Amino acid sequence: MTSQALSHIRVLDMSRVLAGPWCAQNLADLGAEVIKVERPGAGDDTRGWGPPWIKDENGADTRDSSYYASANRGKKSIAVDISKPEGQALIRELAAKSDVLLENYKVGDLKRYGLDYASLEKINPRLVYCSITGYGQDGPYAQKPGYDFVFQGMGGLMSITGEADHLPGGGPQKVGIAAVDVTTGMYATIAVLAALNHRSVTDRGQYIDTALLDCVVALGGNQVTGYFASGKIPRRYGNAHASLVPYQVFDTADGELVVAAGNNGQWLHLCEAIDRMDLFEDPRYKSVTDRILNREQLVPDLADTFSTRPTAEWVRRLEAKDVPCGPINNYKQVFEDPQVIHRGLRKDVPRADGGTVATIASPLRLSRSPVQYDKAPPVLGQHTGQVLSDVLGMDAARIEALKAAGIVQGR
């Protein structure tokens, strides 16, 4: 088995729902041993966020949702009751033997149990401790709860997402995925890797304060920087682009087409492909700036042309001239696409109950330490006994006593 980039790293994942688990899954994909700590009986909140449900070997629904499966590949699950002193003690023992701890409890919650960074740093000075919260560890909103949808609105993302107000259907829209959670998980992954690299030099861990609000504001960087420079508040353009024309969706004779002409050379090639050299020769559309200033005249003219032929024909014509373009696929069509099939973006991973989970391949492609797909999202408590035995050196009698006392649950 090829050694992976993080094969030497152990992660204690005390996070739930999406942002934290997404970060932990990235680390697992890179080879880290990720121990997911869950509540006995219920587990991660998202286990119950179905339908759809993951199927067992007989095609029957399991207790785990596909939402849960999307963010928990490659992990080991242990079920520990951290509300009890004995459960807290187990977490401290595991933290002493871990490199990273991820958590997304409300500010101050883990301090009540002696599981905050200040407490665990005394046990393990090399521990990288990453907290993920809605608003951060300090400030007037630190104690407030929040979900992805709230932050898409509050952080400005919805103010630039959706059709323009003056058009039918205009108004703010959320992104079709939990974009803030996923972005936060990615930022947290970067921070954890940076802290581990810093530790390799200093031999000390550190604390990471990651906030969904911070991440969604950062995600709008190019729009925000434009606002800082001009004082003009960015607005919604729907499927158009504030700084490029044509760079949007056009209706075709049988569907829709994305066209992205980002420079003057591509504009020339586009006009050639659609037999509209009159547009290229029109002085109103000569430069990028000209096309932006005169978009209200240019876009309807282009729309009339694109409506005359089917999407596939336009794609062939435009691609022959190297103009970036493509259809708008649903997810069935995505996974029928030849390039997606070639890249192997669907990975089927067997579960412990005999079923199979279809997951999406990691986009992290390392030539010498590739991602391996050998651990399906775990069943609740699937690895409790294994982790307590292998990591903490407990014998079977003590493990059974902890189970009998309701401190832990699982195999």
Side-chain angles (χ1 to χ4, degrees):
M1 187 71 72
T2 304
S3 177
Q4 293 181 264
L6 297 182
S7 295
H8 59 298
I9 296 297
R10 177 177 293 135
V11 178
L12 198 58
D13 179 16
M14 298 184 67
S15 65
R16 300 96 67 204
V17 188
L18 188 53
W22 197 266
C23 171
Q25 181 170 265
N26 284 334
L27 300 174
D29 283 345
L30 292 170
E33 177 189 14
V34 177
I35 300 170
K36 183 176 179 68
V37 181
E38 303 190 69
R39 293 173 297 166
D44 190 309
D45 303 42
T46 61
R47 284 186 183 271
W49 287 12
W53 305 100
I54 298 302
K55 306 290 186 181
D56 65 16
E57 62 181 331
N58 299 314
D61 290 340
T62 68
R63 63 179 295 174
D64 292 333
S65 72
S66 60
Y67 195 113
Y68 159 78
S70 72
N72 288 285
R73 173 182 63 225
K75 304 178 186 180
K76 299 176 180 177
S77 170
I78 64 172
V80 180
D81 187 350
I82 69 167
S83 69
K84 298 179 180 179
E86 299 91 339
Q88 297 158 21
L90 287 178
I91 299 300
R92 281 190 283 272
E93 288 186 64
L94 288 169
K97 295 179 177 292
S98 296
D99 300 283
V100 178
L101 187 148
L102 298 173
E103 63 92 6
N104 61 350
Y105 284 76
K106 292 180 182 177
V107 173
D109 271 11
L110 290 182
K111 186 175 183 180
R112 295 183 293 128
Y113 302 139
L115 300 178
D116 57 311
Y117 176 66
S119 300
L120 296 183
E121 182 191 21
K122 297 174 184 176
I123 299 171
N124 181 1
R126 302 181 78 250
L127 183 67
V128 172
Y129 190 116
C130 179
S131 294
I132 299 175
T133 56
Y135 298 93
Q137 297 294 307
D138 48 31
Y141 298 165
Q143 298 296 330
K144 292 173 64 172
Y147 278 84
D148 178 280
F149 191 10
V150 173
F151 294 108
Q152 288 200 34
M154 187 176 182
L157 186 57
M158 289 176 64
S159 77
I160 58 171
T161 304
E163 193 54 86
D165 290 342
H166 67 282
L167 296 176
Q173 289 287 321
K174 71 178 182 67
V175 180
I177 61 168
V180 183
D181 278 331
V182 172
T183 299
T184 302
M186 299 304 293
Y187 272 118
T189 303
I190 295 168
V192 166
L193 295 176
L196 288 172
N197 189 61
H198 182 264
R199 190 187 70 172
S200 70
V201 177
T202 66
D203 204 37
R204 291 296 300 267
Q206 60 183 292
Y207 182 72
I208 300 169
D209 172 10
T210 307
L212 273 73
L213 179 61
D214 298 358
C215 292
V216 68
V217 173
L219 184 60
N222 68 325
Q223 297 280 0
V224 173
T225 304
Y227 163 66
F228 288 160
S230 69
K232 294 182 179 179
I233 298 173
R235 62 183 178 89
R236 286 181 289 277
Y237 283 87
N239 288 320
H241 193 289
S243 304
L244 293 173
V245 179
Y247 197 100
Q248 63 188 81
V249 174
F250 290 99
D251 289 334
T252 66
D254 65 348
E256 297 84 27
L257 173 72
V258 174
V259 176
N263 57 50
N264 290 329
Q266 290 173 346
W267 169 240
L268 167 61
H269 295 154
L270 184 148
C271 293
E272 292 173 339
I274 66 174
D275 297 326
R276 290 297 308 271
M277 288 304 292
D278 60 304
L279 295 178
F280 180 74
E281 294 164 359
D282 193 317
R284 294 176 297 173
Y285 311 137
K286 277 296 182 184
S287 70
V288 171
T289 300
D290 292 331
R291 293 191 291 279
I292 293 171
L293 295 176
N294 294 293
R295 72 164 71 225
E296 299 300 330
Q297 294 77 42
L298 174 58
V299 169
D301 202 347
L302 286 170
D304 287 342
T305 297
F306 281 117
S307 68
T308 62
R309 299 176 186 272
T311 299
E313 182 173 346
W314 285 128
V315 169
R316 286 194 298 271
R317 282 170 164 254
L318 292 167
E319 286 186 343
K321 294 289 186 176
D322 290 328
V323 178
C325 66
I328 296 179
N329 288 335
N330 60 39
Y331 280 117
K332 179 178 183 296
Q333 293 167 325
V334 168
F335 285 92
E336 293 170 346
D337 184 278
Q339 183 67 15
V340 171
I341 294 171
H342 173 80
R343 297 285 287 178
L345 298 189
R346 171 173 170 156
K347 298 294 183 183
D348 294 321
V349 187
R351 272 172 53 109
D353 61 8
T356 300
V357 182
T359 66
I360 299 173
S362 170
L364 305 174
R365 303 206 174 207
L366 287 73
S367 64
R368 295 187 184 277
S369 52
V371 172
Q372 296 164 8
Y373 302 93
D374 53 1
K375 294 187 186 71
V379 175
L380 177 60
Q382 179 179 337
H383 304 93
T384 299
Q386 176 190 336
V387 168
L388 295 180
S389 173
D390 293 352
V391 179
L392 300 185
M394 291 186 184
D395 59 28
R398 186 179 174 195
I399 294 172
E400 288 305 315
L402 289 169
K403 290 180 181 179
I407 307 302
V408 302
Q409 181 189 60
R411 301 179 184 179

